[in-house]
Amino acid sequence: MKSILIFLIVSVGLAAMFVGRDLNMARSKALTAPTVVTSFQTQQQNTIIDGATHPELIPDRTAYSVLFRLIANRRTPEERSRIRAYIRQIGFTDVDVDALIALANEFHERVSPLDAEAKQIKSGNRGIATPELRTQLLQLQRQKEAIVDHLVVSLPDRLSPDGVNQLRQHVTGRVKRRLKYQLN
Amino acid sequence: MLLKLKLTRILEAPMAKTISTCKLTISHRTRSRMFLRFLGLITLLAVLSMPAFSQTDYSDSWLDDSNPDSLYVVGAGVTDNDYSADAIAVETTLTSPNGRTVTGEADDYGSARVEVALPWDWDDLGDYYVHTIHQPLCWGNWDGSMIYEVRSGGHYYWHWNPDYFRCIERRETSLLSKAGASRASYDFTSQNFCCCTYHIIPNCHVRCGPPEVSRGQVSACAAHIVRVEPWFEVYGRTVCVSSGVLFRDADAGAPPCTEEQY
């Protein structure tokens, strides 16, 4: 009986650790606070792939996803002209610049609802991931990956042959080499 | 194994009071059973609360030449999380060779992007450094506990983390790019109704210097000119920025070609 009672107290105590804090309060402090390291975190670091040394281990999907995030959703004229300069420096013609921006914006339009749904699931449950929630998040993740795959496959239909080659070279030679990718 | 070790240390430190109180009232056998159950519970909670995590961090830099009269060196940081992760904060700092610096920060779920820029400065050429901190913000610790190990003065301390959203060690990406300018000299070759044409001088080996250039001119053509073109090098690839070209007459003759970078 006593053990059950202690069990319950401990369970309630641990559950309380996961709730009751405000995310916004922590965000402002997060980048300036001193670094803390747990043994578990050290273990996690071992699974990071540094594209500078192993670009061949970075999946295309991962690299294109980051590139689309970089290019998409430019709201101000300044932001839009700035990313056009970036894409022009890949070697793109103006037509291909427009096409790649359209592709990235399509990624954003299709992935944003998934982002929002995931955010709602996570924030609504204050980080407590039940198996059901995990399944939901995994399904969203799969949908996102399918969108990226579809867009990458559609590149030859959206860009000129030269544009496709230049983009592939850019992704392989530049994007992947600057990525750090942490596996599950 | 790491988790087991950590849990043992957890029990040895902040939970010690709880355990010692129990000692007074319960037998050794019961206490052992409780300890095992407690371990089991924590392990279960740890497994349930541990997110399957995937994060992609990226930094890049380029020269924004969309307005030739106002060039900018741009630095960007991006993180793309998968949906098992929580919020992410990205902070990017761009630093010029002379120490000009600009920092920006963004945070969101799913992904975060931040861009910063410094105006082009002909007197501030050389290595531009982009440094991005990618800080995951989470609802709990990776192993479900709230106890952190802090390294200080060669010692390890355990404590309850007051800022538990920084549940995973931040990661960093960085990038060194190079800004410079090619100063190439040209000799006059011909003139038509609008323009003066020049040919590059012998032994002029610069990154950005086409062999022939034309310069619109209504008055007489100068015998020699200097053409200065900015360039930006990222990851070994030089981009010549023709929109930022400057021409100057070289009245005292064509000076040797030079590369401006420090």
Side-chain angles (χ1 to χ4, degrees):
Chain A
M1 192 61 190
K2 280 179 185 171
S3 64
I4 292 170
L5 192 65
I6 291 171
F7 230 103
L8 284 172
I9 291 168
V10 169
S11 304
V12 170
L14 285 170
M17 291 172 193
F18 295 106
V19 295
R21 302 283 180 107
D22 183 12
L23 180 60
N24 292 327
M25 208 172 70
R27 279 177 178 167
S28 58
K29 289 191 288 180
L31 291 166
T32 51
T35 302
V36 287
V37 183
T38 70
S39 54
F40 221 88
Q41 291 158 17
T42 309
Q43 187 188 31
Q44 291 295 329
Q45 284 182 325
N46 295 334
T47 60
I48 294 174
I49 297 172
D50 188 347
T53 49
H54 293 292
E56 74 282 0
L57 297 180
I58 306 285
D60 280 356
R61 178 193 288 156
T62 302
Y64 278 100
S65 187
V66 163
L67 185 65
F68 291 151
R69 294 279 195 196
L70 176 68
I71 294 172
N73 193 29
R74 301 277 166 163
R75 289 170 187 158
T76 66
E78 186 192 20
E79 284 181 329
R80 284 195 285 270
S81 61
R82 184 161 286 169
I83 203 60
R84 290 186 74 84
Y86 172 81
I87 301 170
R88 268 199 312 273
Q89 285 166 25
I90 299 174
F92 272 29
T93 61
D94 281 346
V95 175
D96 280 337
V97 169
D98 291 337
L100 183 58
I101 290 172
L103 200 73
N105 283 335
E106 184 181 330
F107 165 84
H108 177 75
E109 282 165 20
R110 293 172 67 181
V111 167
S112 289
L114 305 179
D115 289 346
E117 201 176 333
K119 179 179 179 176
Q120 197 175 16
I121 290 170
K122 298 293 284 188
S123 57
N125 293 279
R126 299 182 79 81
I128 301 169
T130 63
E132 291 75 22
L133 292 177
R134 283 167 173 276
T135 306
Q136 283 180 41
L137 292 167
L138 195 64
Q139 284 170 352
L140 292 175
Q141 183 62 28
R142 295 287 170 264
Q143 287 178 49
K144 178 188 161 189
E145 290 168 358
I147 290 168
V148 178
D149 292 348
H150 170 75
L151 292 174
V152 172
V153 166
S154 75
L155 282 173
D157 301 327
R158 311 281 288 266
L159 302 176
S160 70
D162 279 350
V164 173
N165 285 334
Q166 284 164 337
L167 185 61
R168 283 181 182 150
Q169 283 172 15
H170 179 74
V171 167
T172 307
R174 181 159 162 171
V175 178
K176 286 188 178 181
R177 287 175 188 276
R178 301 236 185 81
L179 278 179
K180 284 187 181 173
Y181 175 53
Q182 176 162 342
L183 293 167
N184 281 328
Chain B
M1 185 63 188
L2 276 171
L3 179 62
K4 195 177 174 186
L5 276 174
K6 183 173 179 185
L7 290 171
T8 310
R9 293 179 71 175
I10 289 168
L11 287 169
E12 282 171 1
M15 295 296 177
K17 277 188 181 175
T18 312
I19 299 296
S20 62
T21 310
C22 294
K23 268 183 198 171
L24 301 173
T25 53
I26 54 180
S27 71
H28 177 74
R29 201 171 162 184
T30 311
R31 205 172 65 223
S32 302
R33 224 183 297 150
M34 276 174 52
F35 176 72
L36 286 173
R37 284 177 183 174
F38 182 64
L39 264 186
L41 175 70
I42 290 191
T43 308
L44 181 68
L45 285 170
V47 169
L48 287 176
S49 60
M50 188 191 307
F53 192 76
S54 168
Q55 180 179 318
T56 312
D57 304 320
Y58 183 66
S59 281
D60 208 339
S61 182
W62 67 95
L63 189 67
D64 177 9
D65 62 344
S66 47
N67 179 357
D69 297 325
S70 177
L71 303 177
Y72 280 91
V73 177
V74 183
V78 180
T79 289
D80 188 30
N81 273 344
D82 81 11
Y83 293 136
S84 61
D86 293 332
I88 180 77
V90 178
E91 183 187 276
T92 296
T93 302
L94 173 65
T95 307
S96 78
N98 287 349
R100 287 184 299 147
T101 188
V102 59
T103 299
E105 190 266 341
D107 61 80
D108 206 344
Y109 278 79
S111 74
R113 176 184 74 206
V114 63
E115 248 172 51
V116 290
L118 285 172
W120 178 270
D121 184 342
W122 292 98
D123 297 321
D124 198 4
L125 303 179
D127 292 339
Y128 279 74
Y129 183 60
V130 179
H131 180 243
T132 303
I133 296 168
H134 310 263
Q135 177 63 64
L137 308 167
C138 305
W139 291 105
N141 211 344
W142 267 84
D143 58 358
S145 78
M146 295 294 296
I147 295 171
Y148 276 74
E149 183 184 83
V150 179
R151 293 172 191 164
S152 174
H155 299 286
Y156 290 84
Y157 300 97
W158 290 97
H159 77 129
W160 294 95
N161 181 20
D163 180 10
Y164 79 137
F165 293 104
R166 298 180 69 257
C167 56
I168 303 162
E169 190 178 20
R170 72 189 193 185
R171 278 188 290 281
E172 298 173 12
T173 54
S174 58
L175 168 71
L176 201 62
S177 54
K178 203 179 278 290
S182 297
R183 188 178 288 269
S185 292
Y186 291 79
D187 295 327
F188 172 75
T189 53
S190 63
Q191 181 179 20
N192 60 22
F193 66 96
C194 77
C195 305
C196 309
T197 306
Y198 295 85
H199 192 272
I200 199 163
I201 64 170
N203 299 316
C204 179
H205 305 293
V206 289
R207 295 190 190 212
C208 306
E212 299 280 344
V213 295
S214 286
R215 184 185 182 194
Q217 199 146 338
V218 287
S219 57
C221 298
H224 312 280
I225 60 168
V226 174
R227 179 182 184 273
V228 185
E229 179 169 2
W231 51 259
F232 198 68
E233 181 195 302
V234 186
Y235 225 75
R237 181 170 180 258
T238 299
V239 176
C240 296
V241 186
S242 56
S243 57
V245 166
L246 301 174
F247 286 105
R248 286 171 195 152
D249 291 346
D251 299 331
C257 298
T258 55
E259 215 49 276
E260 289 184 20
Q261 63 177 90
Y262 305 100

